[in-house]
Each structure stands twice: as structure tokens, then as C-alpha cells.
Amino acid sequence: MKKYTLILVLICTLSLAKAQENDTTSYTNLEAIFTRPFVLNGQAGNVNTAIGGYLEGNTNYFSTDGVSDGFSMEMRRFNIFLYASLHERVKFISELEFEHGTEEIALETALIDFEINPALVFRMGILLPPVGYFNQNHDGPKWDFINRPLVSTTIIPATLSEIGMGFYGKIPFRRNIFTYEAYLVNGLQDGIITNETNRTLLAAGKSEEMFAEDNNGTPSLTGRVALKNKAMGEVGLSGYTGVYNTFKLDGMMIDEKRRASLVALDYNGGFGELTVLGEAAFSYVDVPESYGQQFGSDQVGMHLDLIYPIKKGRIFSWNGMTLNAIFRFEYVDYNKGDFEETNGNIFDDILAVVPGLSLRFSKNTLLKANYRRHWERDILGNPAVKTAGFQFGFASYF
């Protein structure tokens, strides 16, 4: 049993009608971990402590170039949340995740916030670095697609949890809301390049040790700034940078300091009844020359989700239902560059389209059905390997 596993820019300039305090449209991505239903219900009832969670499961049937492993069912996640108001301006929240039963158990969040005022809050503990939109807002019931976006899980290594500390704040001005976050964290580690995938992979830089000790004594810095407008949605710019390798051992320099950096742009909003979610990320990793050209220094990826309600109201004798048509386009390039010998393009990329339907019983519970098709090319650009399949699943808060 293992522990601790763990595009778009649209500028908003239109004015925003002032939201009531209990109107969820006034919440920003900054507050994602506190806008779960069990916390909101607990606050409405003036309870000091609340418990909740979510679960999600699905089926899979995929084939790759005509070869299939058949049909299977998967219980992806069962997560438990704990929240407590320790003082008028001090609050605690945590999240414990069980993946695939008890195959992986991870403490994703365990932090305390000390509010000096809404524009200046000190946070410390196991936190979710604010890289992009998804990492802090990853709960299954919030998403109409079964799989998480590739850019959010491979270019940005979500779900990424780090021990760290820093400040965040929320500043209304005119009829908009500006938010910021800035944290020091232990940072990703050597696994970014010393992994079994034979490519640079930021997600492989996560390790159990990063919750107890920095492997090189050099903290990483992460942060996000965002602007939210009720009419146009929220646009954010975020980043993450730090030395990832072990460059000193027993006081002796064994390597130069090597940095891994991320920049992400994200958008969450829509036009009329159409919901638009998008994220683009760019990463740079200082890779030693000895590792060869299959380990890319530059990586890029994006996804664009479109969600449109095609029927609202009564469906199959159920009231208050929403049937959504959904579509996702995503692309990732794990090695953006050229071969030194030929100046030919290095490929190693994936392009995918995911149409489907989602049936929401409420904001907190839904059924999902996806058809996924993606094309994957190796570093030489040989004809793409084609994978296609169907998924059906559910997700719900409790």
C-alpha cells in the first residue's frame, strides 16, 4: 500500500453585478476547497466541524489499433473531507483519498488558514499548489468527463499536493474580483527524469519524502493571480518553479542545480448556457545532456471543454434534472523540439477528442458517458497509434 500519491486565455473586462454572499457565482477558484457542499451546509447551520466526501467509479472498454483488453469496471476514488472552524478567523480542512479501493492512499490536503483579513490570509500545511485551474478544483463531481485532462495530469502533475506555507487573498474592486496566491513548498524531486517512462515527466517527481523533507534544501515557489467577472468568468495565470535534483550529498556537490518550471493559463466561464473550461500549460526542465534527446526539456499541452444543456427539468419522472452534451479537445507534446542531428521535429505527442453526455441530478451528483479517441505518436513521428473506447460512470458528493 503506497502513501501520498498524488487555453486558454480569455480576458474579462465586462462589468459584474455584485453577488450575494451565499451566491456561489461569487466564488473563485481560490476558494475551491471550501466550496464543497459539506462545508457550505455546515456553515449555513453554524456547525464548527463538518465531514463529507465524494466517490466516483466508471467502466472502461478500449481498443488500441484493434486490440482490446475487454470490458472492466473501476472504482476510482473514495475521498473523505474534514472541515473545522477553529476560531472566527481560523479554519482547518483536510482530504484523505483512497484510489482503486486501498491500492493507493494519499493525504491530499491538511492545512490551516489564519485570516488577517480577506485580502491577506496565511496558510500552512499540505496544500494544493495553484498551478492552473484543475489542481485545486479536481473533485470528480465537478467535472462532466470521466478522465482528467492530460495537460492537467502529465504536464501539470495534478493532483499535486505539497507541504508549504504562504499567503493568499481576495480583493473586490469595482465590479470584479481579483485573487492571488503565493506559497513556498518543498518541491518536486529527482523522479522527473529518473523514472521508468523514458521521458521527462513532472508527475514522476512526486514522492513520499517531499512531505517530510526537501531533497535539496531549496524550496520551490508557486503562485497564481486571477480576475473574475460574473458575466465573463474567471481567467488565471499561474506558475511553479524550483530546483528539483539532488545536487549535494554529504556536503559535496555532485551535480549542478537543475530547475523545473511551469506556466499555466486557465479559463472558467461561458457564453449564455454554454460552459467553457480550458487550461494551457508550458513547462521547462533542465535535463542533463547525458540523458539523451528522448528526455524533452520543453513540454506543452492544453484542453478545451465545452458543456451545453440540451434538456432541463423532468427526465424519466425525475425533477430538476439536466442533460448535457459535452465535448473535449486536448493535446499534449512531451518533447517540443528538434533532433540535433537532422533538425527534424521530435514528436512524442497525443491528440484526443472526447464527445459524450452527462446527466446531472444536481450540482453534486451525476452520471457520465464518454466516447474517447486519441492518436499517440512516438518521438520519431511514426504513424500514430490509435486508441478508442467507451466509458460510463458516476460521481457524487456526500
Side-chain angles (χ1 to χ4, degrees):
M1 188 182 301
K2 299 179 180 178
K3 297 181 179 178
Y4 300 124
T5 53
L6 296 47
I7 46 175
L8 302 171
V9 138
L10 297 177
I11 303 299
C12 309
T13 56
L14 299 182
S15 57
L16 143 77
K18 185 176 181 181
Q20 300 295 323
E21 290 184 358
N22 62 351
D23 180 358
T24 56
T25 60
S26 68
Y27 292 120
T28 64
N29 190 63
L30 170 69
E31 302 153 294
I33 61 174
F34 294 112
T35 55
R36 291 156 169 160
F38 83 104
V39 177
L40 299 176
N41 293 338
Q43 291 172 338
N46 297 316
V47 224
N48 288 332
T49 303
I51 185 170
Y54 77 88
L55 70 164
E56 61 176 323
N58 58 276
T59 67
N60 298 292
Y61 181 82
F62 284 98
S63 65
T64 299
D65 286 344
V67 179
S68 174
D69 290 331
F71 176 85
S72 63
M73 293 181 282
E74 176 185 9
M75 187 64 185
R76 288 201 170 176
R77 295 174 186 89
F78 176 74
N79 290 29
I80 298 173
F81 307 137
L82 290 173
Y83 167 82
S85 178
L86 309 176
H87 178 273
E88 182 182 358
R89 294 186 177 183
V90 181
K91 52 190 176 183
F92 159 86
I93 195 165
S94 68
E95 177 181 358
L96 181 64
E97 178 178 73
F98 299 83
E99 287 195 9
H100 304 111
T102 56
E103 182 180 333
E104 294 183 3
I105 301 176
L107 185 59
E108 286 199 346
T109 312
L111 58 85
I112 295 182
D113 285 352
F114 301 85
E115 182 184 308
I116 301 166
N117 63 58
L120 186 62
V121 183
F122 176 71
R123 168 174 289 175
M124 188 170 187
I126 296 176
L127 52 87
L128 298 168
V131 190
Y133 176 81
F134 180 84
N135 195 53
Q136 294 178 310
N137 225 335
H138 61 267
D139 296 353
K142 293 185 177 182
W143 292 81
D144 291 73
F145 297 84
I146 291 174
N147 284 353
R148 294 174 167 183
L150 285 173
V151 63
S152 307
T153 55
T154 56
I155 306 298
I156 300 171
T159 303
L160 175 61
S161 300
E162 295 247 35
I163 180 74
M165 61 180 179
F167 293 90
Y168 71 86
K170 178 179 178 181
I171 306 169
F173 73 97
R174 294 184 179 177
R175 304 180 72 179
N176 302 283
I177 301 173
F178 171 78
T179 61
Y180 74 90
E181 298 176 75
Y183 307 107
L184 285 176
V185 295
N186 274 351
L188 297 167
Q189 302 192 355
D190 299 273
I192 290 176
I193 55 174
T194 57
N195 60 68
E196 298 177 355
T197 66
N198 205 35
R199 66 158 61 115
T200 304
L201 186 63
L202 289 177
K206 298 184 287 188
S207 109
E208 296 180 1
E209 288 74 23
M210 64 194 288
F211 292 95
E213 184 179 11
D214 193 335
N215 66 318
N216 51 40
T218 308
S220 296
L221 175 66
T222 181
R224 180 177 182 267
V225 292
L227 180 68
K228 180 163 186 176
N229 176 285
K230 185 177 181 180
M232 294 296 291
E234 180 177 352
V235 61
L237 172 65
S238 54
Y240 182 106
T241 186
V243 175
Y244 71 90
N245 66 319
T246 303
F247 58 84
K248 185 183 294 187
L249 190 62
D250 295 329
M252 296 183 60
M253 296 294 293
I254 59 173
D255 193 8
E256 60 184 271
K257 294 181 180 180
R258 302 191 181 276
R259 182 170 294 273
S261 300
L262 270 168
V263 175
L265 305 170
D266 63 81
Y267 173 74
N268 170 30
F271 307 91
E273 292 192 306
L274 176 68
T275 298
V276 180
L277 295 171
E279 190 166 70
F282 313 85
S283 73
Y284 171 77
V285 177
D286 183 2
V287 179
E289 292 185 6
S290 60
Y291 274 71
Q293 296 177 67
Q294 71 269 25
F295 287 83
S297 295
D298 297 286
Q299 299 182 328
V300 63
M302 60 79 70
H303 83 93
L304 175 65
D305 291 0
L306 304 175
I307 304 160
Y308 187 82
I310 55 178
K311 184 173 176 56
K312 292 182 178 181
R314 188 177 180 86
I315 301 178
F316 300 127
S317 77
W318 295 76
N319 294 319
M321 306 285 285
T322 304
L323 177 64
N324 293 309
I326 61 177
F327 180 81
R328 170 179 288 169
F329 172 82
E330 59 182 336
Y331 174 78
V332 290
D333 186 343
Y334 298 115
N335 200 331
K336 188 173 177 56
D338 299 323
F339 287 107
E340 295 175 359
E341 299 84 359
T342 64
N343 290 324
N345 183 47
I346 301 175
F347 291 88
D348 197 10
D349 55 27
I350 300 175
L351 182 148
V353 292
V354 190
L357 296 170
S358 67
L359 181 62
R360 283 198 172 270
F361 296 79
S362 68
K363 290 182 178 180
N364 303 326
T365 303
L366 77 160
L367 295 172
K368 319 177 187 185
N370 296 168
Y371 170 76
R372 179 179 179 84
R373 187 172 184 87
H374 74 244
W375 296 262
E376 182 172 3
R377 295 185 294 185
D378 61 20
I379 63 172
L380 299 177
N382 289 313
V385 174
K386 303 178 184 68
T387 298
F390 295 91
Q391 296 173 289
F392 176 76
F394 71 92
S396 181
Y397 283 112
F398 58 83

